[in-house]
Amino acid sequence: IRWMKLHAQEYGGNADKIALWGDSSGAHTILMAGFTGDSYPDNGTYGQVSCQVNCLVDWFGPSDFENCPYYPSIIEHQSPESGLGVLLGGKSVLDCPEEARKASPISYVTADKTLPSTLIMHGNMDAIVPFNQSVRLYEKMKECGQDVEMICVDGAGHGYGGFSNDGALEIVEKYIRRHL
């Protein structure tokens, strides 16, 4: 983000207007970047520029690793070989709750700092990332007074079933335009 801000003018961008948008694991990445900003686990590269962004668009991203294994999914989320386990260095999410917490965007939602405006979109038929992941994130953000919107994409599963259409893209475009 800092590199992009430093080179924004060179590439025709605006360093003061940055939105991040990701789906699934990409949504996890943008949530972590947006929620942690200039704090942990930031490495400070290009530290003369802030890596704060204006808004985030989260499409069906995992946000609460510690609780992910307790909700229905067609893939297993708790073994060292699972996607979450690999992210945690080959450990079971159940065996390392503190590491799971540090890798979870929801852990960085507090009332004492302002987070980027966030749009969450998740299909209520998602069989891979439990819909509850987005519900929990939305509720925590609301509870902490953060600017957040959530849209349930009725009947949509994981991936682009229900998301790859003009309606979903129009929602995102309007949201980003409103927040930049």
Side-chain angles (χ1 to χ4, degrees):
I1 294 167
R2 288 186 174 125
W3 188 92
M4 288 172 34
K5 285 184 172 188
L6 284 170
H7 295 89
Q9 204 168 32
E10 180 182 341
Y11 290 99
N14 184 335
D16 296 323
K17 295 183 177 187
I18 296 184
L20 303 178
W21 178 7
D23 66 322
S24 195
S25 63
H28 168 265
T29 300
I30 64 103
L31 289 170
M32 287 295 288
F35 289 177
T36 61
D38 294 320
S39 62
Y40 174 85
D42 181 43
N43 68 11
T45 304
Y46 304 111
Q48 69 272 31
V49 178
S50 171
C51 59
Q52 297 290 332
V53 299
N54 302 82
C55 66
L56 307 170
V57 178
D58 161 14
W59 274 11
F60 46 89
S63 62
D64 184 4
F65 292 166
E66 196 174 12
N67 287 297
C68 198
Y70 301 109
Y71 294 93
S73 175
I74 62 169
I75 63 171
E76 189 268 317
H77 290 293
Q78 53 188 305
S79 76
E81 297 80 27
S82 71
L84 297 182
V86 169
L87 182 69
L88 297 173
K91 300 175 187 171
S92 167
V93 68
L94 299 175
D95 293 338
C96 58
E98 184 58 32
E99 287 164 289
R101 206 170 295 119
K102 284 182 180 179
S104 298
I106 199 168
S107 299
Y108 300 93
V109 176
T110 63
D112 64 342
K113 72 176 185 178
T114 302
L115 299 176
S117 299
T118 304
L119 171 63
I120 302 168
M121 295 176 70
H122 204 131
N124 62 354
M125 300 302 289
D126 192 328
I128 295 175
V129 174
F131 180 70
N132 181 272
Q133 290 283 294
S134 288
V135 171
R136 291 175 63 81
L137 178 60
Y138 172 78
E139 289 174 348
K140 174 93 182 264
M141 290 185 76
K142 281 304 237 186
E143 175 187 307
C144 291
Q146 301 295 336
D147 182 15
V148 62
E149 296 176 33
M150 181 170 172
I151 296 174
C152 170
V153 182
D154 193 39
H158 195 76
Y160 291 97
F163 287 86
S164 185
N165 62 65
D166 290 342
L169 297 175
E170 185 178 315
I171 289 168
V172 172
E173 180 183 5
K174 285 180 179 179
Y175 182 82
I176 290 173
R177 287 186 187 280
R178 195 169 68 242
H179 288 89
L180 290 186

